[in-house]
Amino acid sequence: MATTDDPSYTRPTRLVAAGRPPALPDAPLNEPVTFASTYHAGGDRAYGRYGNPTWDAFETVLGELEEGRALAFASGLAASGAVLSLLPDGAAVVAPATAYLGVLDQMRELRDAGRIELRQVDVTDTAAVAEAAEGAAMVWLESPTNPNLEVADLAAIAAAARAAGALTVVDNTFATPLLQRPLELGADIVVHSATKLLSGHSDVVLGAVVARGDEVFARMDAHRRLHGAIPGPMEVYLALRGMRTLSVRLERAQANTAELVRRLRDHPAVERVRHPGFGAMCSIEVAGGAAGADRVVGAVGLWVHATSLGGVESTLERRRHWPTESDTVAESLIRMSVGIEDVEDLWADLARALDAA
Ligand SMILES: Cc1ncc(COP(=O)(O)O)c(C=O)c1O
């Protein structure tokens, strides 16, 4: 009999079937939410900061999808902060010129405290990234980048980083393991804001680290135990519940994105469309600069003017309104997270807002 963790199953099937309690009579199909600060002595978990069965179920599914060992963290930034804690004092870190501003803010904080040297590069320039990796301890990639949606050659960069003795870290939030598996391409660590597509319903803040090797896994586990950036069990339960439908959500959102991108390219108010050719994110640069973009985001009705992304509902925002957003992001750039609504309704609302701007 095939088991739920049969490795021959494809990822969409494993998303549904993995991480479930043993199929015993009257056992629940879903791993329940375990609210526990402590456990009866004598086992491995011992205490609520060290482990939780609901975390285990989520980590099993994400680990299987990414081909590594996953650990849930309180948020995406708790996950990236844990990974950056691997750096020894004085280490050089290669990072994208444009990436999620919170991750870059974490790195700038370390740089300003004199803890690391920060080398920011254009991640689409593989030779430049490889050159910057010489003498570095870590190459941090986000691909596609937030919000410029640039794509890095993960395999080539991971190989160059390994040759230079640097760890490669990939923020896989935008692609998800259904579209891109950095560990298979040679990266050492994947980080996720599980707040986004993995959870998918804009009701959870959660992060994860997925390690390829046991040593990194052990260090991340030790960091979580000691520093305590642990998720609540309810958040993890909701994230796993959301992940069960990731493949169908992403399929629909991707199809919607491709169609909207096709139409946006022909809209006179749109000066540039950014789309990596896959995924459910696109960005547009509109006529009229920051003011033009602000008018568009203020004129939508069905689209939700809000930060964050990856939910079933379509959201959009002008990224440069955030004070620490990189100046490599155009003032007029509107980042769009495409949901699973009917694409005709999405287009009608967006075109109305663009026409009015
Ligand atoms: C690509 C990316 N990485 C990391 C994060 C941080 O995740 P969180 O908000 O869950 O801390 C975000 C949040 O927007 C993100 O977009």
Side-chain angles (χ1 to χ4, degrees):
M1 192 182 85
T3 58
T4 51
D5 56 3
D6 186 330
S8 70
Y9 287 138
T10 63
R11 280 185 176 71
T13 303
R14 283 150 80 179
L15 260 176
V16 173
R20 301 218 178 247
L24 301 172
D26 279 343
L29 269 65
N30 293 295
E31 180 62 44
V33 198
T34 298
F35 292 110
S37 63
T38 191
Y39 303 94
H40 287 283
D44 291 334
R45 268 187 203 114
Y47 185 55
R49 181 159 31 80
Y50 302 157
N52 178 289
T54 318
W55 301 354
D56 292 349
F58 167 84
E59 290 165 353
T60 298
V61 178
L62 184 59
E64 273 198 31
L65 287 184
E66 289 282 13
E67 303 291 341
R69 296 180 70 192
L71 286 162
F73 279 83
S75 65
L77 283 191
S80 53
V83 172
L84 292 172
S85 78
L86 289 168
L87 294 167
D89 276 351
V93 179
V94 180
T98 312
Y100 173 57
L101 60 88
V103 174
L104 291 181
D105 283 345
Q106 288 183 332
M107 294 182 188
R108 291 182 196 120
E109 188 182 73
L110 291 172
R111 178 199 60 196
D112 294 348
R115 293 271 322 281
I116 64 166
E117 178 199 333
L118 184 56
R119 302 175 181 171
Q120 287 187 268
V121 289
D122 172 358
V123 296
T124 65
D125 186 343
T126 305
V129 182
E131 196 185 324
E134 290 300 328
M138 185 178 281
V139 175
W140 188 287
L141 297 171
E142 198 177 274
S143 188
T145 58
N146 180 0
N148 278 351
L149 300 169
E150 298 125 335
V151 174
D153 183 340
L154 298 185
I157 293 172
R162 187 167 300 269
L167 287 173
T168 301
V169 183
V170 179
D171 185 329
N172 206 24
T173 299
F174 276 25
T176 84
L178 290 182
L179 303 181
Q180 171 174 276
R181 283 179 294 284
L183 301 183
E184 284 183 353
L185 298 172
D188 301 287
I189 303 172
V190 163
V191 296
H192 275 283
S193 171
T195 311
K196 316 297 183 195
L197 277 146
L198 295 182
S199 296
H201 296 76
S202 307
D203 51 7
V204 167
V205 175
L206 186 72
V209 174
V210 192
R212 187 178 24 184
D214 292 341
E215 194 198 325
V216 168
F217 177 83
R219 288 185 66 183
M220 291 293 90
D221 189 28
H223 186 279
R224 186 176 68 174
R225 286 166 174 256
L226 183 61
H227 295 274
I230 58 166
M234 192 67 206
E235 278 73 8
V236 180
Y237 178 89
L238 286 171
L240 179 53
R241 182 184 161 113
M243 276 167 70
R244 300 293 186 200
T245 58
L246 175 64
S247 68
V248 283
R249 284 188 284 109
L250 189 57
E251 202 174 294
R252 170 64 168 254
Q254 276 207 109
N256 281 354
T257 311
E259 181 58 25
L260 291 174
V261 162
R262 198 178 63 74
R263 298 184 191 188
L264 283 163
R265 289 207 164 106
D266 290 334
H267 196 285
V270 177
E271 292 178 343
R272 179 169 183 177
V273 180
R274 292 172 174 269
H275 179 54
F278 62 93
M281 300 296 300
C282 64
S283 294
I284 54 174
E285 293 168 24
V286 297
D294 283 337
R295 282 194 294 275
V296 174
V297 299
V300 290
L302 174 63
W303 286 77
V304 184
H305 178 205
T307 197
S308 203
L309 55 106
V312 290
E313 61 286 301
S314 298
T315 59
L316 83 188
E317 72 169 340
R318 186 175 77 82
R319 285 301 290 176
R320 281 293 291 278
H321 89 279
W322 293 102
T324 63
E325 184 59 282
S326 303
D327 60 12
T328 47
V329 177
E331 282 284 359
S332 68
L333 182 142
I334 299 172
R335 188 189 68 190
M336 307 185 356
S337 169
V338 182
I340 64 170
E341 304 91 334
D342 189 306
V343 71
E344 296 302 336
D345 293 328
L346 288 175
W347 176 248
D349 186 47
L350 190 59
R352 198 164 37 234
L354 285 165
D355 291 342

